[in-house]
């Protein structure tokens, strides 16, 4: 399973767009990139998943360059309720990526 | 929205006692998982379960741990003889059947709210 690197923490003001980048240099051909969000004392919650280019849903966008060695989670106009830890996972969803340990994640603090 | 439910939300037990953590996965999901998160640390994979058997487990999941799907809805994690270091949040999760034929199907895991286990 590909190793991922992401910033430990980020601060942002309310209303700003936040971009969290994850590096995954040894991503494999069958690997997808998945982002989860976790609030204190709650289970992780799926945000978005993608393989290449750009994926958008009602919550976020995921940008994946052609070489797929990194990805960027974009949260538009964050609010205080977006304060959470964000995890980047890389793996083959058909081969058990759910078995990974999540990593430290990026702790996003949204400031009023 | 369907959700994974876990009971109890908090369990306090004495060291050496057996505990059973319970989970009701989303009804049409076929893969089930247990994770744990020691306070302030990473979410760690324990075990995955499919077709009534363990499909994968981590090195954390030793002989003290077992999982079971006793009926059509519950999925349980048993810790036979708890240790102080077993104190953690335990999360159950479930996901759809993963198949390369259904490439547009979401394969993400849906997590429960967790059971906070405190061993004293």
């Amino acid at each position: 399973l590909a190793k991922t690197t992401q910033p430990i923490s980020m601060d942002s003001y309310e209303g700003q767009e936040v971009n969290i980048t994850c590096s995954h240099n040894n991503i494999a051909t069958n690997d997808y990139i998945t982002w989860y969000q976790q609030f204190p004392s709650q289970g992780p919650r799926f945000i978005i998943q993608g393989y290449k280019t750009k994926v958008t849903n009602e919550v976020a966008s995921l940008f994946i360059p052609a070489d797929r060695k990194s990805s960027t989670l974009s949260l538009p106009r964050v609010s205080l309720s977006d304060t959470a830890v964000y995890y980047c996972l890389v793996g083959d969803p058909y081969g058990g990526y759910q078995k990974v340990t999540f990593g430290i994640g990026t702790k996003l603090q949204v400031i009023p | 929205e369907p959700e994974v439910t876990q009971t109890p939300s908090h369990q306090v037990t004495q060291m050496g006692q057996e505990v059973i953590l319970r989970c009701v996965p989303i009804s049409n999901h076929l893969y089930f998982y247990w994770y744990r998160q020691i306070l302030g640390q990473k979410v760690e994979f324990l075990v995955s379960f499919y077709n009534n058997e363990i499909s994968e487990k981590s090195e954390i999941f030793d002989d003290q741990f077992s999982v079971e799907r006793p009926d059509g809805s519950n999925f349980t994690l048993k810790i036979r003889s708890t240790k102080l270091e077993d104190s953690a949040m335990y999360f159950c999760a479930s996901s759809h059947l993963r198949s390369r034929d259904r490439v547009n199907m979401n394969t993400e895991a849906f997590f429960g709210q967790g059971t906070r286990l405190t061993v004293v």
Side-chain angles (χ1 to χ4, degrees):
Chain A
L1 293 160
K3 185 179 182 322
T4 60
T5 304
Q6 49 183 124
I8 293 174
S9 65
M10 292 180 72
D11 292 337
S12 175
Y13 288 103
E14 262 191 304
Q16 290 192 328
E17 178 183 79
V18 170
N19 295 308
I20 306 174
T21 297
C22 179
S23 298
H24 28 81
N25 289 319
N26 59 341
I27 188 168
T29 303
N30 291 333
D31 286 346
Y32 280 64
I33 299 143
T34 310
W35 285 81
Y36 282 84
Q37 173 192 55
Q38 187 182 28
F39 298 112
S41 299
Q42 292 189 29
R45 189 172 71 106
F46 171 86
I47 301 175
I48 198 165
Q49 183 180 78
Y51 184 80
K52 61 181 179 180
T53 63
K54 178 184 174 183
V55 180
T56 297
N57 61 24
E58 64 278 5
V59 176
S61 295
L62 178 60
F63 298 92
I64 306 167
D67 67 6
R68 302 197 331 118
K69 292 184 185 300
S70 67
S71 58
T72 299
L73 174 72
S74 182
L75 305 172
R77 295 181 300 281
V78 294
S79 63
L80 296 177
S81 62
D82 292 316
T83 294
V85 179
Y86 292 82
Y87 300 99
C88 165
L89 302 185
V90 173
D92 184 349
Y94 308 103
Y97 86 100
Q98 320 275 19
K99 70 180 181 183
V100 301
T101 289
F102 272 50
I104 296 173
T106 298
K107 188 170 184 179
L108 173 66
Q109 180 70 52
V110 180
I111 306 161
Chain B
E1 182 178 294
E3 59 180 20
V4 175
T5 56
Q6 292 185 241
T7 54
S9 57
H10 193 182
Q11 172 100 39
V12 180
T13 188
Q14 286 198 325
M15 192 169 55
Q17 295 295 305
E18 174 184 285
V19 294
I20 297 176
L21 309 182
R22 302 179 193 281
C23 169
V24 179
I26 294 172
S27 61
N28 63 346
H29 285 180
L30 295 177
Y31 278 92
F32 315 116
Y33 315 84
W34 283 101
Y35 293 79
R36 79 171 185 192
Q37 187 174 31
I38 296 169
L39 185 63
Q41 298 189 28
K42 301 175 184 179
V43 177
E44 301 174 291
F45 169 80
L46 294 178
V47 66
S48 61
F49 191 87
Y50 170 69
N51 201 24
N52 284 320
E53 61 183 21
I54 290 173
S55 53
E56 289 164 295
K57 60 182 181 179
S58 71
E59 59 274 10
I60 302 169
F61 194 87
D62 61 22
D63 293 343
Q64 293 296 317
F65 292 90
S66 62
V67 290
E68 196 177 32
R69 189 156 161 81
D71 53 43
S73 59
N74 290 288
F75 179 50
T76 62
L77 174 70
K78 183 193 291 186
I79 308 175
R80 246 180 287 281
S81 178
T82 50
K83 303 188 279 284
L84 294 176
E85 53 265 38
D86 293 327
S87 295
M89 281 287 279
Y90 286 82
F91 294 108
C92 173
S94 68
S95 69
H96 280 294
L97 174 65
R98 296 166 294 185
S99 166
R100 292 198 183 280
D101 294 335
R102 304 178 71 173
V103 294
N104 292 323
M105 183 199 299
N106 287 331
T107 57
E108 73 271 20
F110 290 78
F111 285 75
Q113 293 296 301
T115 293
R116 181 174 297 284
L117 176 65
T118 303
V119 182
V120 297

